[in-house]
Amino acid sequence: MRKLLAVAALVAANVHTAAQSGTRTTAGAETRALVAALSDDPVERWSFGPLTFEAAPASWDRHVLVTGRDATGRRALVVLDAASGRMLSRTLFSSRAPLALSAAGERVAVRTAPNRVDLFRLRGERLFQERSFVHADSLSAPILAGDELTLREGDELVRYDLDQKEPAWRARVPGVFRGTPTLRGAHVLAVWYDKNGTAHLAWLEGTSGRVLGEVVLGQHRHEPRAEDLDALEIVVHEQVVFVGLRPGLAASSGQELAWARIPFKGARIGSPVTLHALLAAPLETPTGWVAPERTRDGDTRWILVERAEQERFVELAAPEHHAWLCASSAPAGRAGDVLYLGPCAVDARTLRVLWRRERIPAFRPVPVPGGLLVVEGDRLRCLGSELQPRPSAQAGERVRELVARLERDLGEQLAQVALQALRSGDGRRAAILAREAEALGANGRTLALLQSEAERLGAGPAPAKGRTTTLVAQEREARAGLLEELADAARGASAARERHALLCELFRREPGHAQGLELLRQLLPKGAALIPADALAWCEFLELSAARPLELVGPPASEAQPTREQTWLAVQRESWRADLVGYQSERLLVITAGAAPDAVARTVRAGELVCDVLESVFPGTPGAAGRLQLLLYPTRAEYLAHSGSELGGLETVLGLTSGHFDVTAQISRLFLPGEDTDSARLLGTSTHELTHHWLATRSAFGPPRSMPSASGFWIVEAIATWAEELRLDPERGTWSSAPERAASLDTLVNAGAKDLLPWRTFLALSFEDYCKLETRPTCTLSLDWQLGMQAPRSPMQLFYAQGAALAHYLYEVEGAARRKLLLRAVEAYYRGTPLDVAAALGVTPEELGRQVNGWARSVWNRDIEQLR
């Protein structure tokens, strides 16, 4: 009990200190940081150099830390301002080994020699040395967390309380520790070797250094050098631990494999241990991990392993496909659903390449608020998505700062509740609250002490019921305080975007918050039905519809003639579902049931932008045309049940799509795939179908009047696919053509002549011929802007790709000199007089095909040159 009270007193004192100083632990800051993914083509915000970099940069609150050799050959630690890249300080060292650092709060610990670690504190814009740690043999790289420093001293592990001279504990094993330890919450993981040279992974209690468990990794075939042992890595994922060793461990196949993978369940390491030929630390993804790997032939390839009942393996890149990615073996980075692999960014859900740079990064790309840090050659570059922020960026930054402060305050309050739980003997509750408090930004060192002691008491007798009731009430009060502050801030916000963002933060935590719901009801469109489960979706609806006003279709006024939209809604309620809701914007009417309001708003915002595009490309459209009617189905089953057979019986195509334009009913039918949380997939489909819809009902041409047996049907699908492949930015309301990234050109560049439809056949196809095209794959391609070695393509898919590529060609080539021909071809088919494009250009279909292929390849080559 004396020990328990001592720990409790220390926790109380340090939580108070943290509250007064406002400092954060590195772990807390990383947990709270909202780093936006860099999904657009990056621009350089700032750069720093030249420097011979020796490690990846480190993000430290509002600073960036970099290490390397300067022009004199001395090693330098440089502190940069994260926003501007301005150098704040540079400290030089005469070290024969690369510097290794760790930062937390106001401190940074740096290994400045193989047997020395110096501790610095940031004051203003300069570093001041505070303390040094020296060992006769060697020291590992430092691991700093809060006011604690963990490192290896010679053969032992040691932890220092930075307020004390002597170590808090030393840990020994029947062998020698090697490399640098790693922290996981209140625990430490470290590698040690026994007298036979067998490598072990140990799991230690962070407060005492007591070894709680271990697992045997294996043996090396060749004796490791001292520098190899120093370079070993431990990477902890949610359910697995990876250990990287040089040289690799001996496998049963006779190979030396550099990485061991160990199950990590319930904060305990387990078995079996498997060996892997990885070339860099694996990056954890939402569903598994990704890393570069050495093949049996000694080449590099990138792999993705997804967790499931049975692991799924995907080869992302190999020398035979995406060789440009295999030129990099630096560890990957990640922000949200965007992976940073070598010189590119990839959508983790679709594996589509979002952007690509020619320079190969030397180290892991480091996501930071507002951008991405990459080391390219002797320059550190901070990349951002654009020079001007998005409309919501400024408001979002203010809200993030407020939320970070409120979460830190909540963390400190939960630490106090954890302290009370510890005093009452409720170890389980104390451990849970301590972990959450640390993640929210309370003091890491004291919470680690509290957590360890709480876990020790976790199996003890339950505390008295009255005491438990008090703890629950204190915890509830602390959490309610954060919610009330968010609600008050939302009520007081003067800007609509800031108010919407604050309400989003509120409802993410408590969908049923009464005051928040009351405020939200005042902001919603007239007639909106608000239930707590939809509160967050309605907040996002308000934000998304800010630039494109969107209202609900209400009942007809008394004795008034119903509007066209009210009539449409009544008809659909009669034929489909009685609970349908109608949303109308300037040019669109969306009728749906069960679709989240934010999904509707995304659909409308993107649809209005598509109308803007088409009105700018096809002038002279009737301004008084009615709204386009879209039916948004909540499930694929309802979508298929109401679609009928208007596509000529192409049920296989219909079943694989997420939307189509119903020519007979003059309606666009769409459904929102369940996994499409941000409507990215729906955007492409709705753009394609709305183009058909707009041309048939709002253009000056009217519905297509060419006979089903008439040649030249390609133009109908080509212009819709062309629109689908434009670069649309619904948030800014802007668009641009970007043929170099179009999937259709990617297909043409990588397909062989034998794979494509003969161009004469393609141009002559009628709608009837189109309906007979094979929908099963007949070839497999390797695409440049899509990772993975297999991209199956059917004649139906090739038809769309060739048509869109031809549309891009006519729109872009010769400074848009042939753009009018593209528009004439669309008008001619819709007016019933199909145009022979090849004849109009005075070439054969085969020659036109060669021109399109040649242009596509030149665009692809030009894009690569621009990357350089």
Side-chain angles (χ1 to χ4, degrees):
M1 179 59 70
R2 181 178 299 172
K3 177 183 177 184
L4 186 153
L5 292 176
V7 171
L10 184 60
V11 171
N14 280 277
V15 168
H16 175 74
T17 301
Q20 296 298 317
S21 67
T23 58
R24 318 177 191 176
T25 64
T26 302
E30 289 176 350
T31 302
R32 294 195 311 276
L34 299 176
V35 179
L38 181 55
S39 56
D40 298 334
D41 280 349
V43 296
E44 184 177 303
R45 292 189 179 279
W46 54 259
S47 71
F48 170 78
L51 191 73
T52 302
F53 294 94
E54 296 181 315
S59 177
W60 181 30
D61 197 13
R62 293 183 174 85
H63 307 97
V64 174
L65 301 175
V66 294
T67 60
R69 289 184 183 271
D70 70 359
T72 68
R74 300 180 69 188
R75 287 189 159 88
L77 167 63
V78 181
V79 182
L80 304 174
D81 176 71
S84 66
R86 180 172 62 92
M87 185 170 68
L88 304 179
S89 72
R90 181 178 65 170
T91 309
L92 298 177
F93 303 93
S94 298
S95 174
R96 58 186 174 87
L99 305 178
L101 59 84
S102 177
E106 295 180 343
R107 291 183 171 113
V108 56
V110 188
R111 185 175 63 182
T112 56
N115 67 338
R116 180 186 178 99
V117 168
D118 290 317
L119 184 68
F120 298 88
R121 185 183 288 272
L122 183 69
R123 293 298 189 192
E125 295 185 348
R126 299 189 63 82
L127 289 177
F128 294 90
Q129 187 169 349
E130 188 176 90
R131 185 174 176 181
S132 295
F133 303 84
V134 181
H135 188 267
D137 182 14
S138 65
L139 292 176
S140 72
I143 302 296
L144 193 60
D147 295 325
E148 290 180 333
L149 176 68
T150 306
L151 68 165
R152 176 186 53 78
E153 288 188 349
D155 300 341
E156 304 172 337
L157 290 189
V158 61
R159 170 164 289 178
Y160 288 94
D161 176 342
L162 296 179
D163 296 328
Q164 304 295 324
K165 181 177 180 181
E166 297 300 320
W169 54 256
R170 288 185 180 274
R172 300 176 178 85
V173 287
V176 295
F177 282 108
R178 288 294 178 258
T180 300
T182 295
L183 304 187
R184 172 61 179 258
H187 300 97
V188 181
L189 293 113
V191 171
W192 67 277
Y193 286 82
D194 62 25
K195 62 181 180 179
N196 297 318
T198 301
H200 302 245
L201 177 65
W203 173 49
L204 296 84
E205 185 179 59
T207 54
S208 66
R210 181 168 59 94
V211 177
L212 302 174
E214 65 169 56
V215 63
V216 174
L217 302 178
Q219 287 189 318
H220 299 284
R221 189 172 300 279
H222 301 93
E223 184 71 20
R225 299 173 301 173
E227 55 266 34
D228 290 335
L229 292 174
D230 184 60
L232 69 83
E233 299 179 72
I234 304 173
V235 179
V236 184
H237 291 184
E238 182 180 358
Q239 298 180 18
V240 68
V241 176
F242 290 90
V243 180
L245 306 106
R246 294 188 312 192
L249 298 175
S252 58
S253 63
Q255 294 179 289
E256 287 185 330
L257 302 180
W259 286 82
R261 181 174 65 159
I262 309 99
F264 190 71
K265 298 179 180 178
R268 294 180 182 274
I269 53 178
S271 59
V273 176
T274 56
L275 302 181
H276 303 265
L278 305 182
L279 294 171
L283 171 76
E284 187 167 22
T285 70
T287 58
W289 53 275
V290 61
E293 179 186 59
R294 187 186 71 240
T295 67
R296 291 184 178 274
D297 297 329
D299 296 322
T300 299
R301 69 173 179 174
W302 281 81
I303 61 171
L304 171 68
V305 177
E306 296 185 325
R307 293 187 301 264
E309 293 183 4
Q310 187 171 357
E311 283 190 340
R312 175 175 173 260
F313 174 91
V314 179
E315 184 178 82
L316 298 178
E320 299 79 24
H321 58 94
H322 306 98
W324 55 269
L325 177 53
C326 295
S328 172
S329 58
R334 174 187 159 215
D337 287 320
V338 173
L339 306 177
Y340 303 112
L341 311 181
C344 73
V346 177
D347 188 319
R349 299 160 299 182
T350 65
L351 302 184
R352 179 75 178 164
V353 178
L354 302 173
W355 53 260
R356 174 181 160 193
R357 292 169 67 83
E358 185 64 18
R359 301 181 184 93
I360 303 297
F363 304 99
R364 177 179 69 90
V366 179
V368 293
L372 180 71
L373 300 176
V374 295
V375 174
E376 297 174 337
D378 64 352
R379 306 291 302 185
L380 168 66
R381 305 179 195 278
C382 180
L383 306 178
S385 58
E386 68 282 320
L387 294 174
Q388 295 298 322
R390 292 177 181 271
S392 59
Q394 190 173 1
E397 181 61 28
R398 289 194 296 268
V399 170
R400 281 192 291 272
E401 289 179 359
L402 172 64
V403 170
R405 178 180 64 79
L406 294 179
E407 287 188 340
R408 186 171 62 249
D409 292 345
L410 173 60
E412 290 157 1
Q413 293 177 58
L414 293 181
Q416 294 286 357
V417 179
L419 175 61
Q420 298 301 318
L422 188 62
R423 286 173 172 164
S424 69
D426 192 345
R428 181 176 179 276
R429 184 182 300 276
I432 293 172
L433 291 175
R435 284 194 293 270
E436 182 178 357
E438 182 181 25
L440 290 170
N443 185 275
R445 176 178 68 85
T446 55
L447 288 171
L449 294 172
L450 189 155
Q451 183 176 331
S452 179
E453 184 66 18
E455 290 179 352
R456 188 182 68 80
L457 296 176
K465 183 176 180 180
R467 189 60 176 159
T468 299
T469 303
T470 301
L471 292 172
V472 171
Q474 291 175 342
E475 179 184 347
R476 185 184 299 116
E477 182 180 355
R479 297 186 189 282
L482 181 146
L483 300 177
E484 292 306 315
E485 292 219 39
L486 285 173
D488 289 343
R491 280 194 295 271
S494 57
R497 289 185 182 277
E498 196 165 330
R499 184 184 305 113
H500 300 158
L502 286 165
L503 285 174
C504 283
E505 292 289 346
L506 174 63
F507 292 124
R508 285 191 188 102
R509 292 163 174 79
E510 180 55 62
H513 192 272
Q515 295 179 37
L517 291 173
E518 180 182 352
L519 175 59
L520 182 58
R521 285 191 182 94
Q522 300 171 18
L523 304 174
L524 292 184
K526 183 179 179 181
L530 175 61
I531 60 174
D534 288 340
L536 180 57
W538 276 114
C539 286
E540 295 180 348
F541 170 94
L542 293 174
E543 172 61 25
L544 290 163
S545 59
R548 296 283 189 178
L550 186 57
E551 60 185 23
L552 271 68
V553 179
S558 177
E559 300 181 358
Q561 187 74 16
T563 65
R564 188 176 183 181
E565 289 72 26
Q566 290 168 336
T567 301
W568 279 346
L569 179 59
V571 169
Q572 292 299 329
R573 283 176 172 170
E574 182 70 25
S575 61
W576 177 14
R577 288 172 57 159
D579 60 343
L580 292 178
V581 179
Y583 299 80
Q584 63 184 26
S585 62
E586 180 186 354
R587 290 163 293 196
L588 302 178
L589 169 67
V590 177
I591 296 175
T592 187
D598 56 328
V600 175
R602 287 191 185 91
T603 302
V604 169
R605 186 174 67 170
E608 287 286 352
L609 178 56
V610 172
C611 291
D612 290 342
V613 171
L614 296 172
E615 288 180 4
S616 67
V617 172
F618 296 94
T621 56
R627 290 184 172 93
L628 306 181
Q629 185 182 166
L630 286 73
L631 300 184
L632 184 58
Y633 298 92
T635 66
R636 181 186 291 273
E638 286 186 88
Y639 165 69
L640 293 175
H642 290 83
S643 293
S645 58
E646 65 280 346
L647 289 187
L650 292 178
E651 289 85 0
T652 54
V653 174
L654 185 62
L656 292 173
T657 67
S658 53
H660 70 280
F661 171 54
D662 185 334
V663 179
T664 304
Q666 299 286 281
I667 289 172
S668 288
R669 302 183 188 273
L670 309 167
F671 86 93
L672 183 65
E675 73 281 2
D676 197 20
T677 53
D678 60 359
S679 305
R681 179 176 168 186
L682 184 63
L683 173 60
T685 300
S686 61
T687 299
H688 185 107
E689 303 309 331
L690 275 176
T691 301
H692 290 315
H693 196 160
W694 186 93
L695 286 168
T697 61
R698 289 185 67 91
S699 77
F701 317 144
R705 293 190 290 280
S706 291
M707 298 297 291
S709 58
S711 62
F713 174 73
W714 68 272
I715 191 64
V716 174
E717 296 301 336
I719 196 65
T721 309
W722 168 84
E724 180 183 345
E725 293 181 340
L726 295 173
R727 304 195 74 176
L728 303 175
D729 189 340
E731 184 171 347
R732 294 189 187 86
T734 61
W735 67 279
S736 63
S737 61
E740 68 278 0
R741 307 295 174 84
S744 57
L745 267 68
D746 202 354
T747 297
L748 242 65
V749 167
N750 289 285
K754 61 180 178 56
D755 299 321
L756 299 174
L757 300 173
W759 283 93
R760 184 175 295 275
T761 302
F762 165 78
L763 292 171
L765 281 176
S766 65
F767 175 73
E768 293 174 345
D769 298 326
Y770 159 83
C771 293
K772 298 173 185 176
L773 286 174
E774 177 63 71
T775 58
R776 291 174 298 183
T778 55
C779 64
T780 299
L781 309 179
S782 174
L783 303 180
D784 289 290
W785 292 93
Q786 177 74 44
L787 293 189
M789 64 178 178
Q790 291 186 339
R793 290 292 181 267
S794 67
M796 178 68 78
Q797 291 170 308
L798 293 170
F799 171 84
Y800 279 84
Q802 289 177 244
L806 177 52
H808 283 294
Y809 169 79
L810 294 173
Y811 190 83
E812 303 284 349
V813 76
E814 296 178 3
R818 299 184 177 182
R819 189 173 297 176
K820 289 183 179 180
L821 178 59
L822 173 66
L823 306 186
R824 278 176 50 208
V826 175
E827 180 176 0
Y829 192 89
Y830 273 74
R831 292 191 183 281
T833 57
L835 178 66
D836 186 335
V837 172
L841 290 171
V843 297
T844 65
E846 292 78 12
E847 176 58 27
L848 178 58
R850 284 191 291 270
Q851 289 180 11
V852 175
N853 272 285
W855 174 79
R857 188 163 296 279
S858 71
V859 168
W860 183 87
N861 288 334
R862 184 173 66 247
D863 188 46
I864 295 300
E865 289 300 322
Q866 288 175 348
L867 290 175
R868 292 174 180 162

